[in-house]
Amino acid sequence: MRGRDPDRAVGLATAGSGGELRSASSRGGAGEQRESRARRKETGSTMRATVLDVLAERRAHGSTPGARKDDHRVALVIEGGGSRAAYSTGMIGVIHERGLAECFDAVYGSSAGALNGAWLLCGRAPEAMAGWTAPGVMRKVMDSRRVVRGRPVVDLDFLINVLYTHLLPIDFAAVLANPVSLHPLGTDAADGRPVDLAALIRDVRTLKDALRATSCLPVMAGPPIELDGGRRFLDGGVAEPVPIRTALGDGATHALVLRTRRLDEQSEPPGALAGRVTSRWFRRHAPGALTAWDSRPARTLEAERFLAGLPTVLQIRPPLGSPSVSRIATDPALLGSAVAIGHAAAAIVLKQTSSNDPRARRSAPHEPAALPGRSRLR
């Protein structure tokens, strides 16, 4: 698993503008950047190429990580959002079907977006799509009735160490072995800054810990997750719901961004009671991150403007009129609909990357697969 120093990741991810992010790229200093520009001039490669152009070209020529014939760095960026990630699960299904996963150089995800990145990189996107509607699964992961017993609504231990390890397994070893690197984003509990957790991933255990950390929803999933080194992290969506700045800071020249909100669906501050409960939780467990939480709606609007101004970034969203899905939704019919809508939206956008390439795969997004030990989930 390729990674970066997490403190360096923080500095890059909080840069102020697109130009600043590119100049701070981890691809090298000024000399290396000049060499990169010279190579683009010699080869005719320019930033005028769209994300779809680059993906189609790479797919047509069988381009693989480590043996690229272009000097682009293409990132897949996946928004978080708890159960809203059913939309992006359908989207990664299309990427899988069209054999596009290896056309990316890195995958960045916050919260459930990182989980979807892991599903894609281990080659099991169809299983991820089926999991949203498998009987009993979501009720085991999320259950608001646990609150009366003083337990977290979201059971991260069950999600990662039982469901995704035994019942509906992610192939964690395959994620680690994939030359396309996975970058889960966490929020540092000490100061509320985004941190790329890839630098802390060394093996299956630390990968699973990082996925628990990026998915640790404030209040609903218990206290922050402590990783090796003693640092504590919570849901990456608190600091960077759409980790595009981190991807650009790593030198991405192009990005495909999978969104879980409609264009007309904005981040709203919690109501008065929920706000008091959440503030109390932050003051107890992550006081340094409270400001980051409170500023999320404003930062989300700024991120929308930032993304809209990037010519080499393409976003795929649930279309207008798609149902709203809460972070802790468990209704299989609603979640199955979100998977299918996300799949259809991505299929339309990625249609031009199609070919008769035999690497293309098939998924069945509307038919949930039977899970091993399914009866134990009822």
Side-chain angles (χ1 to χ4, degrees):
M1 172 65 67
R2 297 190 298 277
R4 299 179 299 160
D5 176 75
D7 293 313
R8 176 170 170 77
V10 169
L12 293 175
T14 54
S17 71
E20 292 170 16
L21 282 161
R22 287 182 179 84
S23 67
S25 166
S26 62
R27 294 180 77 179
E32 290 183 29
Q33 291 176 30
R34 284 193 295 272
E35 290 177 13
S36 178
R37 287 194 293 269
R39 285 197 304 274
R40 286 197 291 271
K41 184 175 181 180
E42 291 170 4
T43 61
S45 172
T46 73
M47 290 302 100
R48 287 194 298 273
T50 68
V51 181
L52 295 181
D53 290 337
V54 178
L55 292 176
E57 184 75 8
R58 286 183 171 186
R59 189 176 189 276
H61 291 89
S63 175
T64 56
R68 303 293 191 203
K69 295 181 180 180
D70 61 61
D71 62 348
H72 302 302
R73 179 175 171 85
V74 184
L76 177 65
V77 176
I78 312 178
E79 183 178 15
S83 292
R84 287 202 315 272
Y87 282 116
S88 59
T89 305
M91 297 173 189
I92 66 165
V94 177
I95 293 172
H96 171 86
E97 290 166 15
R98 298 189 184 282
L100 292 171
E102 63 187 14
C103 296
F104 295 95
D105 298 296
V107 177
Y108 296 81
S110 290
S111 191
L115 296 175
N116 276 340
W119 280 113
L120 177 66
L121 294 182
C122 76
R124 295 183 177 177
E127 287 86 342
M129 289 191 291
W132 288 100
T133 53
V137 167
M138 292 307 297
R139 275 294 183 187
K140 288 288 291 183
V141 175
M142 302 179 184
D143 190 345
S144 58
R145 294 172 297 182
R146 296 189 186 115
V147 172
V148 299
R149 299 193 294 272
R151 295 169 53 196
V153 171
V154 180
D155 189 339
L156 287 178
D157 183 63
F158 172 82
L159 177 68
I160 302 298
N161 295 318
V162 178
L163 181 63
Y164 287 169
T165 299
H166 302 294
L167 303 177
L168 185 66
I170 292 175
D171 188 341
F172 295 105
V175 176
L176 292 169
N178 197 317
V180 181
S181 54
L182 177 65
H183 298 259
L185 268 288
T187 298
D188 195 321
D191 55 26
R193 292 188 292 175
V195 177
D196 183 347
L197 302 179
L200 302 176
I201 297 172
R202 300 181 305 277
D203 50 27
V204 168
R205 179 186 66 80
T206 50
L207 171 57
K208 291 165 74 171
D209 286 346
L211 292 175
R212 288 175 61 231
T214 189
S215 304
C216 186
L217 290 166
V219 182
M220 290 185 286
I225 303 295
E226 183 174 326
L227 301 184
D228 289 357
R231 296 176 69 179
R232 299 182 309 127
F233 298 94
L234 58 147
D235 192 293
V238 172
E240 196 176 8
V242 185
I244 183 64
R245 293 183 182 275
T246 296
L248 294 175
D250 265 358
T253 60
H254 297 74
L256 179 66
V257 182
L258 308 183
R259 304 299 302 273
T260 60
R261 292 184 187 272
R262 302 182 310 269
L263 184 60
D264 64 345
E265 187 178 11
Q266 301 301 323
S267 175
E268 300 288 344
L273 177 59
R276 288 195 295 272
V277 171
T278 303
S279 294
R280 186 161 56 245
W281 183 93
F282 271 96
R283 285 193 292 270
R284 177 181 179 185
H285 296 288
L290 178 57
T291 299
W293 173 261
D294 287 341
S295 64
R296 277 202 333 152
R299 285 186 294 108
T300 297
L301 288 175
E302 190 278 331
E304 293 289 359
R305 291 191 292 267
F306 179 73
L307 281 162
L310 298 173
T312 57
V313 170
L314 175 65
Q315 304 185 68
I316 304 178
R317 293 179 178 271
L320 297 177
S322 301
S324 296
V325 178
S326 78
R327 286 179 174 272
I328 57 171
T330 59
D331 176 28
L334 174 63
L335 298 174
S337 173
V339 171
I341 291 170
H343 186 275
I348 292 170
V349 174
L350 298 175
K351 183 177 181 180
Q352 76 178 62
T353 65
S354 297
S355 75
N356 294 322
D357 192 323
R359 292 175 303 159
R361 305 170 179 89
R362 290 296 167 200
S363 302
H366 306 296
E367 299 177 9
L371 302 182
R374 188 170 69 179
S375 62
R376 285 176 286 170
L377 296 172
R378 295 184 184 279

